[in-house]
Amino acid sequence: GNSVTQMEGPVTLSEEAFLTINCTYTATGYPSLFWYVQYPGEGLQLLLKATKADDKGSNKGFEATYRKETTSFHLEKGSVQVSDSAVYFCALSIDTSGGSYIPTFGRGTSLIVHP
Amino acid sequence: DAGVTQSPTHLIKTRGQQVTLRCSPKSGHDTVSWYQQALGQGPQFIFQYYEEEERQRGNFPDRFSGHQFPNYSSELNVNALLLGDSALYLCASSPGWGEDYGYTFGSGTRLTVV
């Protein structure tokens, strides 16, 4: 079946440090890949997406590249801020049947950024 | 433009009771999905509704049922509540069927079963 594996957290960084959160996937076929962010007490927000191999998704300084050869979609940011503290979810979606695209989520990685 | 709205935000129920959660999709969206998110876990897919029909279902028992209304809003019903049903229930909407449009999530309903 389809699955997503994320690095375990929490990831603790100082402000302005470089961020990498690893994500790998298993899928039958060619999925779209996503990163969602969840701030405390809120729902999930789409952060970025990539729909085919070698695509790079980017938003708010975050970026991730769809690597088909390594089945990975690692999230990176060059300089994190305290406001980036949240839980980050990697997800994939693929046509399950008849046009239904259901995202499958990883377990989430908590990011804590200290001033 | 309102996003996805869910009600109530918090709910406490007793084991064996029944609960109904409600969701209004983002304006222009007609597909609604429900997810269960246990503490410290990623969201798990429950089911998806389009054109008032359940189109896909995840690995959840029949105690979990739903409905979609002509205005695209949706309800999630859970019967015979168990302690293990305690979780954040998320509703997500998307603007159509047959394409990977991406999902907009609500802030969720926190259900506690005691």
Side-chain angles (χ1 to χ4, degrees), chain A residues 86-104:
Chain A
V87 180
Y88 293 81
F89 292 92
C90 185
L92 67 82
S93 75
I94 198 164
D95 184 4
T96 55
S97 64
S100 174
Y101 292 82
I102 307 298
T104 298

Side-chain angles (χ1 to χ4, degrees), chain A residues 39-78:
Chain A
Y39 298 100
E42 298 185 12
L44 278 70
Q45 301 176 25
L46 179 63
L47 182 60
L48 53 84
K49 66 182 283 188
T51 59
K52 62 183 187 296
D54 300 325
D55 268 2
K56 177 184 284 188
S58 61
N59 186 25
K60 300 180 181 180
F62 292 89
E63 59 182 34
T65 301
Y66 190 142
R67 301 288 188 198
K68 182 182 172 186
E69 63 277 11
T70 55
T71 62
S72 64
F73 193 55
H74 304 322
L75 182 68
E76 297 181 335
K77 187 176 185 183

Side-chain angles (χ1 to χ4, degrees), chain A residues 11-31:
Chain A
V11 173
T12 304
L13 296 173
S14 297
E15 206 164 26
E16 299 184 3
F18 184 86
L19 168 70
T20 300
I21 299 178
N22 291 337
C23 170
T24 57
Y25 68 90
T26 301
T28 51
Y30 303 98

Side-chain angles (χ1 to χ4, degrees), chain A residues 100-113:
Chain A
S100 174
Y101 292 82
I102 307 298
T104 298
F105 289 89
R107 297 182 61 168
T109 302
S110 175
L111 171 64
I112 301 169
V113 181

Side-chain angles (χ1 to χ4, degrees), chain A residues 32 34 36 38 41-44 46 49 89 93-94 96-108, chain B residues 33 35 37 40-45 48 55-56 88 90 97-108:
Chain A
S32 296
F34 305 82
Y36 284 82
Q38 187 175 34
E42 298 185 12
L44 278 70
L46 179 63
K49 66 182 283 188
F89 292 92
S93 75
I94 198 164
T96 55
S97 64
S100 174
Y101 292 82
I102 307 298
T104 298
F105 289 89
R107 297 182 61 168
Chain B
S33 301
Y35 284 80
Q37 186 180 16
Q41 303 292 318
Q44 298 295 311
F45 173 69
Q48 182 181 65
R55 299 292 180 141
Q56 288 286 327
L88 180 67
L90 295 167
W97 184 262
E99 294 284 341
D100 195 0
Y101 296 104
Y103 287 76
T104 300
F105 282 81
S107 297

Side-chain angles (χ1 to χ4, degrees), chain B residues 15-92:
Chain B
R15 254 184 318 177
Q17 286 189 314
Q18 178 265 343
V19 68
T20 298
L21 311 181
R22 295 177 175 81
C23 171
S24 293
K26 183 177 179 178
S27 177
H29 288 192
D30 57 7
T31 301
V32 174
S33 301
W34 287 91
Y35 284 80
Q36 181 194 67
Q37 186 180 16
L39 200 60
Q41 303 292 318
Q44 298 295 311
F45 173 69
I46 303 175
F47 42 54
Q48 182 181 65
Y49 278 84
Y50 174 69
E51 293 185 336
E52 302 179 51
E53 290 186 10
E54 183 183 292
R55 299 292 180 141
Q56 288 286 327
R57 188 178 183 91
N59 189 25
F60 279 80
D62 291 344
R63 297 187 297 109
F64 290 78
S65 63
H67 189 77
Q68 186 179 33
F69 298 94
N71 66 352
Y72 310 124
S73 67
S74 177
E75 289 182 349
L76 164 66
N77 301 291
V78 186
N79 294 323
L81 284 166
L82 303 174
L83 296 180
D85 295 331
S86 295
L88 180 67
Y89 288 84
L90 295 167
C91 174

